[in-house]
Amino acid sequence: MGNASKSLQPKDRRETKKTLVLISVMLATFMGAIEATIVSTAMPEIVGDLGGFSMYSWVFSAYLLMNAVTVLIYGKLADLFGRKPILIFGISIFLIGSILCGLATSMELLIAYRLIQGFGAGAVTPVATTIIGDIYTKEERAKIQGYLSSVWGISAVSGPAIGGLLVEYVSWRYVFWINLPLGILAIMGIMTFLHEKIEKKKHEIDYKGAILLTIAVSSLMILLVEGGVNIAWTSSLAIGLVLTSLLSFGMFIYVENKAVEPMMPFSVWREKSILIANLTSLTTGIILIGISSFLPAFVQGVMERPPIVAGFTLTAMSIGWPIASTLSGKLLLTIGFRTTSLIGGGALILGSILFATLSPEAGPLWAAIGSFVIGIGMGLTTTAFIVSIQSTVSWAQRGVATASNSFMRNLGNTIGAALLGGVLNSTIKANLTGHSELGNNLSLDSLNILLSETERSQLSHNMKLLLQGTLTESLHTVYLVVLFFAVISMALVAMLPKKG
């Protein structure tokens, strides 16, 4: 009878089926999460098949760009129209993109289809996380969000392993098609078990803000990936991209402050814990993409190990992540989110140091240990930030507040893929310049050969040493940049309020 008085609250109509909703949401999250690690493992094989090493980072950047710029829109739409229709729409678009990616016949087509996939993926993480915030109490949330965060870890355990097996024994195309059964099951579960009571009223969607943000992030990404490679840093095009990005971002902030229903209400950022959590999510997003995107290329191209071993080095991250996520839920209740986040920040620095000192001689085990430690840091910080944010805002703002954090992490991934891809490409280009004495017209795409076992075996000894040495030195530079962002993350976490 006591429940009757609660039936007016939006969350309570779902309480009787919340375990089944949780399973459906975890399936959707797993689908989105596995995409990151499974594609990373397959990338060397994809480049070996389709060519286009110079476009390597665009396969990640295209997906992450659409993910980043739509995540806030989906978060807002979920607050306006309900979580259920928005999540189902997002998963459906994601599945269409996945089918197309598996059919791609060139790197350019794959990048275009990844844009579609990313457009759908933007709904998955923020809306799924918001649903959990709705149907569980504040006391239950820490534990349940720990479960949801650990899905990222579990997906990373299985993602690289499944990716390695599919690439080695079937085809890299199944890396995308494996999403289909997961997405269909998630849609069926959400349609059947999630029931919402949403107040129907006319809403204003912030399309201006969405367009300006897309222009701002896209211009910055093009500059970061192509700067120093195909676009000279001092050229008029580079200057134009910088000005376009700055102007668009400035206009975005102006529009958001004037909008009736902004996609990014900056009012939620006035809470110091949310501001710090969001800024740190940006820097940890850069760290995560730096580790997961380029490590398989190092293990396969330089260490000459098969895809399954490259997958193992990333799997270690996912072993650390769920352990730390589960532990984080308990630590939050005993030592508070600041101390929990500080421990996580320390793990990120240690893991980044291990990667910055990675060498071909160290072997895959060293890379796996580094991945595991990074996973510990990610698990501790991610769970702490989500629980902290959701405990600070009301139901009506929970969707957009959670989405603001997902947006910052995705923006970090997006900027990271572009920035670190640009660092990699420009360092490779600089290292290859002046080696025409080997009789080859060397370019970025010369590294395609390293990622194809058949072509690699036909290289002369000197040429193979040159290309592997170039890739090693370039990735070393990438991981020094990752370490720099780990230090910034720790500095930000140290600024969190001491209470809680």
Side-chain angles (χ1 to χ4, degrees), residues 384-464:
F385 293 157
I386 290 293
V387 174
S388 166
I389 288 168
Q390 293 193 338
S391 300
T392 307
V393 296
S394 64
W395 184 92
Q397 280 196 307
R398 193 174 293 141
V400 80
T402 304
S404 74
N405 186 254
S406 295
F407 166 74
M408 291 302 283
R409 186 168 60 249
N410 290 342
L411 185 62
N413 286 163
T414 308
I415 292 172
L419 171 66
L420 299 172
V423 168
L424 182 72
N425 285 353
S426 55
T427 313
I428 288 171
K429 188 178 179 184
N431 287 347
L432 290 179
T433 303
H435 284 287
S436 56
E437 75 277 2
L438 288 170
N440 286 69
N441 183 18
L442 296 174
S443 69
L444 281 170
D445 286 331
S446 302
L447 275 87
N448 293 343
I449 302 166
L450 278 186
L451 303 181
S452 169
E453 190 179 345
T454 310
E455 291 184 49
R456 188 173 63 225
S457 63
Q458 295 170 2
L459 284 172
S460 68
H461 179 68
N462 286 346
M463 178 58 73
K464 186 163 83 167

Side-chain angles (χ1 to χ4, degrees), residues 173-220:
R173 298 179 188 278
Y174 285 86
V175 158
F176 297 102
W177 294 337
I178 200 171
N179 293 320
L180 294 177
L182 297 172
I184 290 166
L185 281 172
I187 288 173
M188 288 169 62
I190 291 156
M191 284 180 72
T192 309
F193 304 118
L194 179 58
H195 306 290
E196 299 178 297
K197 186 177 181 181
I198 305 300
E199 186 184 345
K200 298 287 183 185
K201 59 179 181 179
K202 190 176 179 183
H203 298 289
E204 291 190 33
I205 308 300
D206 182 19
Y207 294 113
K208 282 184 189 173
I211 292 166
L212 287 168
L213 186 64
T214 305
I215 295 169
V217 177
S218 302
S219 331
L220 178 63

